[in-house]
Amino acid sequence: MQGPWAKEGAVTLAVAVVLIWLAPLMISTYTLTILIIYGMLGFSLGLIWGFGGILCFGQAAFFGLGAYVYAIAAINFGESTWPMILAVLVPAGFALLLGAMMFYGRLGDVYLGVITLVVTLILFKFINSTAGPQYVIGKARLGGFNGIPGFQTLNVPGNPEAYIWGDAYYYVCAALLVIVYLLVTALLRSSFGRIALGIRENEVRMSLMGYDIAARKTVLFAIGAAIAGLAGALFANWGEIVTPGLFSLGQSAEIIIWCIVGGLGTRVGPILGAAGLAYLKFMLGQQSLIDNTLIMGLILVLFVLFLPKGVVPAVASLWKTSFGRRPFSRVHQARRMRNRGRGNG
Amino acid sequence: MDLSVVILVEMLYAVASLVLISSGLAVVFGMMKVINLAHGEFMMMGGYVTITAVGLGVNIFVAMLIIAPLVVGLIGLVVERLVIRHLYGRLVDTMLATWGLSLLFIGLATMIFGNTTTGISTPIPGFTVGNYQINGYNFFIIVVAVVLVIAMLVVLKSTRLGLIARGTMQRPDMAAALGYSPDRIYMATFFCGSALSGLAGAVLAPLVGLVPTSGGAYIAKAFITVIAGGPSLVAGLISSASLFGVVNQVFTFAISPVFGEVALLVSAVILLRLLPQGVTAKFFKGKM
């Protein structure tokens, strides 16, 4: 990191610190924590979909897996450091296997979507049916539909008595999101990230240039899963219970809506989309006139029809045409990527 | 002996219900290449239409076989005009828009019917084979599925309408040059697909407790059946439905219904990995 990158990193850090400091003045830290966790989840799909061109309909599978792994490991270990690490590694490993199976099989976009969806369903059905006492991992009962309550929540590493909760937990989550964001920025700046963008734009050309497409897509997929797993572990700590609902199709749908609304091909878009829509849902949850699902569905349909680029790129291009010297290519990238599917029909 | 009869009937029933679940999607996705993720919700609406109509005093068979397909078909028509029409050829966008529609329908159904389970009793009594009880309604489902498959074959293969529809799906520009309006043919085909989904939902409604989120249970099965079937519409539908139906029932009998479902999904993933173009891309080539 040098030159303009160091500058961008510093600016990101400064903006993030100000936001993290100001936000609790308006919204309670309890709500903010979940917004940040959802932001991280949205970010994980935004990375693999927006920058890798991998449309995964089952990002919730990795989220749920992270949460379950954390809960099970926390009950068995009685502290939270190793469970956090496992909650990142296990979903990543699972994604490596799944991704290798899909990408080395050269499956198309649609099949990818269907397989990830089906895998999510399998996990959902399986976890839902584990109510019996025979489903035990170590000391933890899987609990079926009721989920797993009462596990050790986050503590200071090495000191299981010192819990991190409330405001402190909010700052931990926010810091983790900033770290993940900076790491992903660095990743996208590296040659790996550049090649991933190349694969998104034109897979055949990149493979003719000698890059191993399948391996690179698999690794990117696993990185996305690792971030989703981290978000899942943080969610488990926030909710203090994990249920099979984490694996549900509705959860997967929401992640995709966040990305579409926020804007694909940008880093902040999915985070803002996730936090914004989650907050909207929170506000809507306080009224009972109109069903929540209906509004989310309507938002998705309207965005696909009228603003398929998403909010952040639209605002950015508006800003550029109003104040900038020349339109930046990022918007075009997003559009080109979304057009890619058109040729297949 | 008795047990084997029961198992045979159960397997036929499993295959028939998969054919029913997937037939609407086979038309919409298989022919039109529209990834309709709201397919399950169309089925859910078919079920609610039936229950409402029966509640109003309509004969259950009229409600299931005529009213539900018509109403859901009309809903499909509205959806096609308002949303899908703008997205033809944009695979990923249709997928997202129809997912939005599915959430929207779930929300609507929750507002209208409430988040509770409703149902109607099956109109055909069961009977016994030796020591076992067989649900008589299962035979009705098998008959409906067989009639449906034959009807689809006849319409697609031997009528002028079917020919025009198939031609338009392959080359809309050529169909337009020959004087047919692709726009209207797409519209009509989508109507048929939605009506089939409505029919399936209606016929299966007496067997399941209906909730607004019932559609989710169908959508994955329908998709893997259609995709695993491959390019030939009817032959693909039958071959993949038979395969998955049998796998499902074998594991249901051997272990538990949940494992039956899981085995179905796992076998689908493996099959897609081995034959990514579907069964009929490799076998039964060129059949309808």
Side-chain angles (χ1 to χ4, degrees):
Chain A
M1 299 264 273
Q2 34 169 266
W5 306 352
K7 194 178 146 203
E8 195 199 312
V11 170
T12 310
L13 211 57
V15 170
V17 166
V18 171
L19 279 180
I20 291 168
W21 176 58
L22 283 180
L25 301 178
M26 286 173 283
I27 310 172
S28 75
T29 50
Y30 183 73
T31 315
L32 271 177
T33 310
I34 188 65
L35 296 187
I36 286 176
I37 293 168
Y38 281 155
M40 193 184 286
L41 182 57
F43 190 52
S44 73
L45 184 67
L47 170 67
I48 63 167
W49 187 14
F51 294 99
I54 306 165
L55 174 49
C56 173
F57 271 62
Q59 201 68 6
F62 306 123
F63 181 62
L65 206 59
Y68 262 86
V69 166
Y70 176 81
I72 292 165
I75 287 180
N76 282 311
F77 294 167
E79 58 94 41
S80 71
T81 314
W82 276 106
M84 284 304 279
I85 295 170
L86 279 178
V88 175
L89 291 183
V90 172
F94 179 65
L96 269 183
L97 288 179
L98 185 68
M101 192 201 87
M102 295 189 303
F103 298 122
Y104 283 96
R106 299 186 179 283
L107 295 181
D109 279 350
V110 178
Y111 299 93
L112 208 81
V114 172
I115 286 192
T116 47
L117 196 114
V118 168
V119 167
T120 317
L121 264 178
I122 294 177
L123 281 172
F124 179 66
K125 290 209 159 131
F126 175 71
I127 297 285
N128 240 336
S129 71
T130 54
Q134 71 270 35
Y135 295 103
V136 175
I137 298 180
K139 283 182 274 180
R141 273 186 59 177
L142 290 180
F145 190 72
N146 295 323
I148 310 175
F151 43 82
Q152 169 94 8
T153 54
L154 197 68
N155 58 258
V156 177
N159 185 1
E161 300 301 314
Y163 292 106
I164 302 175
W165 61 282
D167 286 357
Y169 187 57
Y170 159 68
Y171 290 112
V172 169
C173 288
L176 281 173
L177 180 62
V178 173
I179 293 170
V180 167
Y181 184 89
L182 290 176
L183 284 177
V184 167
T185 306
L187 179 83
L188 290 173
R189 286 275 154 74
S190 69
S191 66
F192 179 85
R194 292 286 170 201
I195 293 163
L197 286 185
I199 294 172
R200 181 191 80 185
E201 294 297 320
N202 194 329
E203 212 166 290
V204 178
R205 189 178 296 168
M206 291 311 276
S207 68
L208 287 175
M209 285 163 82
Y211 295 110
D212 187 345
I213 308 285
R216 284 170 184 277
K217 276 183 142 177
T218 309
V219 171
L220 188 69
F221 192 60
I223 293 173
I227 299 174
L230 177 63
L234 293 177
F235 182 86
N237 274 310
W238 176 83
E240 297 181 12
I241 184 169
V242 293
T243 58
L246 295 174
F247 293 105
S248 67
L249 286 185
Q251 182 77 54
S252 281
E254 258 179 46
I255 307 172
I256 288 178
I257 299 173
W258 297 337
C259 287
I260 283 280
V261 169
L264 278 175
T266 64
R267 275 161 296 151
V268 284
I271 300 179
L272 291 183
L277 285 181
Y279 191 61
L280 178 72
K281 198 176 169 182
F282 171 74
M283 303 280 277
L284 288 173
Q286 295 170 343
Q287 54 93 33
S288 56
L289 187 65
I290 302 177
D291 193 77
N292 236 330
T293 328
L294 192 151
I295 295 172
M296 294 309 257
L298 202 61
I299 289 175
L300 180 55
V301 175
L302 292 178
F303 264 86
V304 170
L305 283 179
F306 299 111
L307 198 64
K309 284 180 296 182
V311 170
V312 170
V315 170
S317 72
L318 202 66
W319 178 268
K320 289 269 154 49
T321 46
S322 312
F323 304 102
R325 271 164 297 181
R326 64 190 175 88
F328 191 56
S329 64
R330 194 174 277 167
V331 177
H332 298 286
Q333 278 172 15
R335 188 184 298 152
R336 215 178 307 149
M337 197 206 70
R338 294 173 53 76
N339 286 349
R340 229 168 44 111
R342 291 179 196 181
N344 304 349
Chain B
M1 177 57 207
D2 297 342
L3 184 64
S4 55
V5 169
V6 172
I7 291 181
L8 186 73
V9 171
E10 285 291 315
M11 278 190 181
L12 275 178
Y13 159 71
V15 173
S17 63
L18 272 181
V19 167
L20 268 180
I21 290 172
S22 324
S23 58
L25 195 71
V27 170
V28 170
F29 176 59
M31 279 180 76
M32 303 173 67
K33 301 287 173 245
V34 169
I35 303 189
N36 183 13
L37 286 177
H39 172 71
E41 278 62 42
F42 281 160
M43 292 184 59
M44 175 269 287
M45 288 190 289
Y48 272 114
V49 168
T50 312
I51 290 176
T52 313
V54 169
L56 292 174
V58 181
N59 179 294
I60 183 165
F61 288 104
V62 176
M64 279 193 303
L65 301 177
I66 298 170
I67 297 179
L70 272 183
V71 171
V72 177
L74 287 176
I75 295 173
L77 205 62
V78 174
V79 165
E80 200 267 354
R81 284 292 96 180
L82 287 181
V83 180
I84 314 278
R85 180 162 66 112
H86 308 286
L87 301 171
Y88 282 126
R90 286 156 63 186
L91 224 54
V92 174
D93 285 348
T94 15
M95 202 139 87
L96 296 169
T98 50
W99 200 339
L101 283 174
S102 103
L103 295 177
L104 200 131
F105 288 137
I106 292 175
L108 270 180
T110 313
M111 280 173 72
I112 298 173
F113 299 100
N115 204 358
T116 50
T117 310
T118 42
I120 42 176
S121 52
T122 53
I124 301 170
F127 57 91
T128 50
V129 176
N131 297 325
Y132 301 95
Q133 172 90 15
I134 294 188
N135 188 349
Y137 195 72
N138 290 2
F139 283 103
F140 178 68
I141 296 222
I142 295 172
V143 170
V144 171
V146 169
V147 171
L148 200 69
V149 166
I150 294 173
M152 275 170 86
L153 258 183
V154 168
V155 168
L156 284 172
K157 202 123 198 193
S158 1
T159 65
R160 192 170 169 76
L161 274 174
L163 186 70
I164 295 171
R166 279 191 293 146
T168 311
M169 299 310 149
Q170 277 184 14
R171 287 291 298 270
D173 50 344
M174 196 57 94
L178 289 170
Y180 301 104
S181 159
D183 191 49
R184 288 176 64 181
I185 293 167
Y186 273 116
M187 192 173 90
T189 315
F190 198 84
F191 172 81
C192 294
S194 323
L196 281 176
S197 315
L199 175 74
V203 171
L204 292 174
L207 291 175
V208 292
L210 209 58
V211 281
T213 50
S214 296
Y218 301 125
I219 185 71
K221 277 190 202 168
F223 258 101
I224 55 180
T225 311
V226 173
I227 288 183
S232 308
L233 204 64
V234 179
L237 193 60
I238 296 171
S239 51
S240 60
S242 316
L243 180 70
F244 293 142
V246 170
V247 167
N248 185 352
Q249 286 303 316
V250 165
F251 278 87
T252 301
F253 274 101
I255 308 175
S256 75
V258 174
F259 271 89
E261 298 268 295
V262 171
L264 191 162
L265 297 173
V266 170
S267 68
V269 171
I270 296 170
L271 188 75
L272 277 183
R273 174 67 176 78
L274 296 178
L275 300 170
Q277 301 302 318
V279 178
T280 49
K282 195 147 187 146
F283 311 103
F284 316 110
K285 249 186 196 155
K287 300 266 173 27
M288 250 328 281

